[in-house]
Amino acid sequence: MQANAAVSVTPDKAFYRPEETATFLITATGGARGEATITHLAETVAVLDVVIEDGSAVLTWTPPPEVPRGYGLTLRVFDGDRIIASISTAFDVLEHWAQAPRYGFLSEFGPGRDDAGATMDWVVRYHINGLQFYDWQYRHEALLPPAEDYTDLLGRRLAMGTVEALIEAAHARNIAAMPYTAIYGASPPFYREHPEWALFQSTGQPFEFGDGLLYIMDPTPGSPWNQHLLREFSRVLESTDFDGIHIDQYGAPQVARNAAGERVDLAVVFPAFINQTAALVQERRGESGAVLFNAVRNWPTDTVAAADQVAVYIEVWEPYRDFMDLHRLIAHAQQQGGNKPVILAAYIHPDHIHNVRLANAIIFASGGFHLELGEPQAMLADPYFPRFGVMSEAVQGVMRQYYDFLVRYEEVLSASTVDATGERAIALSIAGIETRSLRARDRVAVIVRQGQDREAFSLVNLVGIDSGNWATPLTEGPDSLSSLAVQIHTSRPVTRAWWASPDRGDLSAQSLRVSATKVGDGWNVSFSLPYLDYWSMIVLEYQS
């Protein structure tokens, strides 16, 4: 369809709570009426008429209270009986943002910033429902500033009024605000006042970070630094409207000595500290609160995943550089955390759009989430968040498609499913295409999520890429594939099969014409998949 009228539709909240009315803001340069179709997975659940006056309209609909549940919304604009424009978005219903934590970031808190409302307007386009306020603090050991305007450890001018305005604007759109903190970082002056609170090397020298920018303190429960930092957390929760605590670490040391020479195993200390923080947040914020902890380089995921945090957060570094490492990290963390949501911080510059698309396809298909968006037009490209990259309009459009897709199909991608790749990926084959190689090149990767009555087989296209390393810029995207002859072996009869993709604009579920052949104690289900650019998802539905 050739659209000849510009149209936009945006939800007013990042997500909706049960029994909360969903509101959509519509603008159109032509047409006087529209038709909005709301879908849940492959089903149409409502068709609503829209009256467009002076180029705008407001559409409202109250979803059923079931959670978690994602929806698609497609708006068609008419001039008489002729469709002149069509656009889609998505929205979801959650009890708590961390059921599907689309985590983002803010890093600019200077005096005079006055775009808090506009910032959140941008954020909700991508359904980001939690924001890490990165380096908002006065000092690592003294989080709240002594005055309204202040200078941080790196000399940046900041203002608590800006921080507070951003928190308020986030809350107005159901977006959680999480303050960055570090579990053991302290400035040199603070260390010199309390040298006995630090962690030490075997040589007796204190551990430092950033060439002396910070010193590493001992967070062992009951230690002086531990009690000091928990008091700082309490002050933050008492003095601001932050929704919990985000805790960072630096990946080293892993084992140290305290001032008495006793061994400190941080893989044991960290989960205990997380639980202490969670108890404090529970006391101050109740069930709405949240704690997150950064497992840098996937360490120590095995001990912190099951701690009292709302999701497992992993900052991805060496040796996890293969595209499929992203899947393996998520699957392992879900297993260790009791199928808790998993958030990856994997930094990719938006100029490398092929890397971005493939990484997000693998992360989202694996049931994970990607910390990458937040500041308007920005994408994280560096572990120091203010060094973000700027997205072109084309990249912004691609990202909206991917985030709409993530939300629309969250029940088969994440919220109500578990990873079954290890057992079920082998059940799918594509004529003439490699699907079972371990390396992330020259094959189609198969990632499987399993629910009670459904299976989602995500196909991620790695055919023709010049590197299997997600952090190495790709010169070209994968070779586009079409009319793929797919076969899936299943032990249950299929009642319906459909597919969808975020790659060509139409996000809606498309029916698949399948043939089923009885083989032993199961069936081989065969069909033709129309195309695979970067990511296509196949869903098989079974009898209850």
Side-chain angles (χ1 to χ4, degrees):
M1 179 194 69
Q2 180 66 42
N4 53 16
V7 61
S8 70
V9 55
T10 307
D12 71 329
K13 303 282 180 69
F15 74 97
Y16 297 95
R17 297 185 172 91
E19 300 183 352
E20 188 174 19
T21 296
T23 300
F24 305 89
L25 311 177
I26 297 167
T27 62
T29 58
R33 70 179 184 90
E35 181 182 86
T37 301
I38 298 173
T39 56
H40 171 241
L41 300 178
E43 299 283 353
T44 296
V45 296
V47 179
L48 309 173
D49 292 327
V50 179
V51 176
I52 301 171
E53 296 181 348
D54 298 324
S56 65
V58 175
L59 173 68
T60 60
W61 185 68
T62 302
E66 287 83 4
V67 294
R69 181 166 284 189
Y71 295 92
L73 185 153
T74 299
L75 175 69
R76 297 189 299 169
V77 177
F78 292 85
D79 181 7
D81 294 329
R82 184 170 63 96
I83 299 172
I84 59 172
S86 178
I87 195 169
S88 67
T89 187
F91 61 101
D92 62 347
V93 181
L94 306 170
E95 288 180 310
H96 190 287
W97 71 275
Q99 282 183 299
R102 299 178 291 273
Y103 203 32
F105 80 101
L106 295 176
S107 60
E108 307 302 304
F109 310 107
R113 178 171 182 171
D114 60 359
D115 66 343
T119 295
M120 299 309 155
D121 288 344
W122 193 88
V123 167
V124 298
R125 296 178 195 171
Y126 300 88
H127 318 288
I128 300 301
N129 57 14
L131 288 168
Q132 180 187 154
F133 283 53
Y134 178 89
D135 272 11
W136 67 280
Q137 72 278 12
Y138 171 62
R139 293 290 184 273
H140 289 67
E141 73 277 359
L143 300 173
L144 294 172
E148 167 66 22
D149 292 356
Y150 55 104
T151 302
D152 75 1
L153 189 63
L154 295 177
R156 294 196 310 157
R157 292 291 298 160
L158 309 177
M160 275 305 295
T162 300
V163 173
E164 290 163 353
L166 288 165
I167 295 173
E168 182 180 4
H171 286 169
R173 292 158 179 81
N174 287 356
I175 302 169
M178 298 286 287
Y180 173 93
T181 68
I183 192 169
Y184 46 27
S187 67
F190 187 88
Y191 162 74
R192 287 191 288 270
E193 290 179 16
H194 306 282
E196 72 281 4
W197 292 13
L199 286 176
F200 298 89
Q201 305 173 50
S202 58
T203 61
Q205 290 296 112
F207 279 101
E208 300 178 13
F209 176 77
D211 295 325
L213 177 70
L214 296 168
Y215 283 79
I216 305 299
M217 313 304 276
D218 179 10
T220 301
S223 70
W225 169 258
N226 172 274
Q227 296 302 298
H228 170 82
L229 191 56
L230 288 173
R231 285 193 295 272
E232 286 297 301
F233 290 174
S234 183
R235 290 180 63 222
V236 168
L237 295 171
E238 289 172 357
S239 302
T240 74
D241 290 326
F242 278 125
D243 294 288
I245 301 291
H246 179 104
I247 309 169
D248 193 18
Q249 54 127 340
Y250 307 137
Q254 297 186 1
V255 177
R257 300 281 175 182
N258 62 20
E262 299 165 330
R263 186 175 186 271
V264 177
D265 185 347
L266 290 165
V268 175
V269 169
F270 286 166
F273 186 93
I274 294 167
N275 292 344
Q276 287 181 298
T277 305
L280 176 63
V281 171
Q282 170 73 25
E283 178 185 340
R284 302 294 188 190
R285 294 291 183 266
E287 295 303 319
S288 66
V291 173
L292 287 168
F293 177 86
N294 185 2
V296 177
R297 201 179 290 105
N298 197 36
W299 179 82
T301 300
D302 287 356
T303 64
V304 302
D308 293 336
Q309 54 179 331
V310 295
V312 186
Y313 178 104
I314 300 172
E315 191 173 34
V316 187
W317 294 106
E318 298 285 0
Y320 305 101
R321 280 300 192 246
D322 188 273
F323 272 109
M324 290 308 295
D325 283 339
L326 302 173
H327 164 73
R328 287 184 278 267
L329 287 172
I330 293 167
H332 176 74
Q334 288 168 341
Q335 181 183 45
Q336 296 298 112
N339 210 37
K340 227 176 248 182
V342 178
I343 302 163
L344 297 189
Y347 309 117
I348 306 173
H349 196 283
D351 288 350
H352 309 315
I353 185 57
H354 306 303
N355 298 70
V356 172
R357 290 177 79 154
L358 288 173
N360 278 344
I362 291 168
I363 292 169
F364 297 166
S366 301
F369 303 88
H370 192 185
L371 178 76
E372 57 184 342
L373 303 179
E375 289 286 356
Q377 290 83 50
M379 180 179 288
L380 283 181
D382 189 274
Y384 182 58
F385 290 8
R387 298 192 189 115
F388 53 72
V390 177
M391 294 188 287
S392 66
E393 287 190 14
V395 172
Q396 291 177 46
V398 169
M399 297 304 289
R400 286 196 70 173
Q401 291 285 107
Y402 271 62
Y403 276 79
D404 281 346
F405 193 84
L406 171 67
V407 172
R408 185 171 188 151
Y409 297 114
E410 66 186 23
E411 288 160 83
V412 293
L413 289 172
S414 59
S416 303
T417 60
V418 297
D419 180 65
T421 305
E423 313 89 66
R424 292 291 291 150
I426 197 172
L428 185 146
S429 61
I430 306 171
I433 301 292
E434 177 62 64
T435 59
R436 298 179 186 178
S437 171
L438 290 177
R439 67 176 187 165
R441 282 185 66 187
D442 300 324
R443 66 141 168 163
V444 169
V446 181
I447 298 171
V448 187
R449 301 289 296 176
Q450 196 170 68
Q452 182 176 0
D453 302 318
R454 305 184 188 96
E455 285 185 312
F457 292 80
S458 281
L459 306 183
V460 181
N461 187 3
L462 304 171
V463 176
I465 59 174
D466 52 11
S467 172
N469 185 323
W470 62 263
T472 299
L474 298 175
T475 57
E476 299 287 344
D479 298 338
S480 185
L481 307 174
S482 60
S483 301
L484 290 83
V486 180
Q487 179 176 281
I488 302 174
H489 182 77
T490 176
S491 61
R492 293 188 282 176
V494 174
T495 59
R496 179 164 60 174
W498 51 273
W499 76 285
S501 172
D503 289 328
R504 296 193 184 180
D506 184 359
L507 306 184
S508 62
Q510 307 291 323
S511 294
L512 286 168
R513 297 179 61 183
V514 305
S515 62
T517 304
K518 192 77 169 71
V519 178
D521 59 353
W523 289 263
N524 285 340
V525 178
S526 302
F527 52 88
S528 177
L529 183 69
Y531 68 84
L532 173 59
D533 293 340
Y534 291 81
W535 175 22
S536 292
M537 178 184 69
I538 299 156
V539 176
L540 302 184
E541 297 184 1
Y542 305 108
Q543 290 180 346
S544 300

